[in-house]
Amino acid sequence: MPEHVVFDTNLAEYVSQVLQTLLIKTVPWIQVSRSRSLLLMVKPAVFLAAIGAGAQLHLILLAFNILAIKSISALSGNGQSVFAKEENSSAFVLVASQKTLPVLVAVVEKLGGAFGESGLLVLPCVAAHLNQIILDSFLVNFWLRKENSDKLKAS
């Protein structure tokens, strides 16, 4: 048996992050499961409208952030801005347009039922979060294809 055991800090950090992510993801599930009986009363048209509103909000934020980045870059002299690099501006647009699920759940919880049962209010938040992921994956795919075609044209 060795005198000391070497502990891999990278592995420990990875396990810690995975565990933290799993625990954070359980919060919306707990909120929704509290209102399970009420969820069955939600009309599909109302739920689809909430999903559509979440997607619209995300698209509005994307457009606003793209416009903001272009403005900041132009005001600071196109080549001198940190956002002159396309990867920096893309990262900013995506991160600034995202609304995280744990924050949404915390806000709903702080409302204390002022707008209805918190479990019901969390459901459109979960759907909006999934919409963000799907929409952003299409956007990143579009950007990658554009970048690859630009590289092919340049060579």
Side-chain angles (χ1 to χ4, degrees):
M1 186 116 175
E3 293 179 17
H4 67 283
V5 177
V6 178
F7 189 68
D8 187 0
T9 56
N10 290 336
L11 178 63
E13 288 176 16
Y14 176 75
V15 170
S16 173
Q17 289 174 353
V18 168
L19 186 60
Q20 179 182 5
T21 302
L22 288 174
L23 292 174
I24 287 174
K25 298 291 183 189
T26 60
V27 173
W29 178 74
I30 291 168
Q31 291 291 335
V32 171
S33 64
R34 277 194 218 167
S35 303
R36 187 176 49 185
S37 61
L38 293 173
L39 292 176
L40 298 173
M41 296 171 38
V42 175
K43 296 178 183 173
V46 173
F47 183 65
L48 289 174
I51 291 173
Q56 278 184 320
L57 175 63
H58 187 58
L59 291 173
I60 289 168
L61 288 173
L62 281 170
F64 174 80
N65 289 323
I66 289 170
L67 182 63
I69 284 293
K70 298 285 185 194
S71 300
I72 291 170
S73 185
L75 289 174
S76 63
N78 278 336
Q80 297 175 353
S81 173
V82 173
F83 301 112
K85 289 185 177 180
E86 195 166 323
E87 55 270 2
N88 289 347
S89 61
S90 300
F92 176 82
V93 166
L94 289 176
V95 171
S97 301
Q98 290 273 330
K99 287 94 32 224
T100 64
L101 190 56
V103 172
L104 290 170
V105 171
V107 169
V108 167
E109 191 63 32
K110 286 292 182 184
L111 290 173
F115 294 107
E117 183 67 35
S118 62
L120 287 176
L121 294 174
V122 168
L123 196 59
C125 295
V126 171
H129 186 70
L130 293 174
N131 273 342
Q132 289 176 51
I133 293 169
I134 292 167
L135 289 171
D136 288 349
S137 67
F138 282 119
L139 184 61
V140 167
N141 191 27
F142 171 75
W143 285 339
L144 287 174
R145 286 181 186 205
K146 181 181 172 198
E147 183 180 316
N148 287 339
S149 70
D150 290 346
K151 284 181 182 177
L152 285 175
K153 287 178 185 175
S155 59

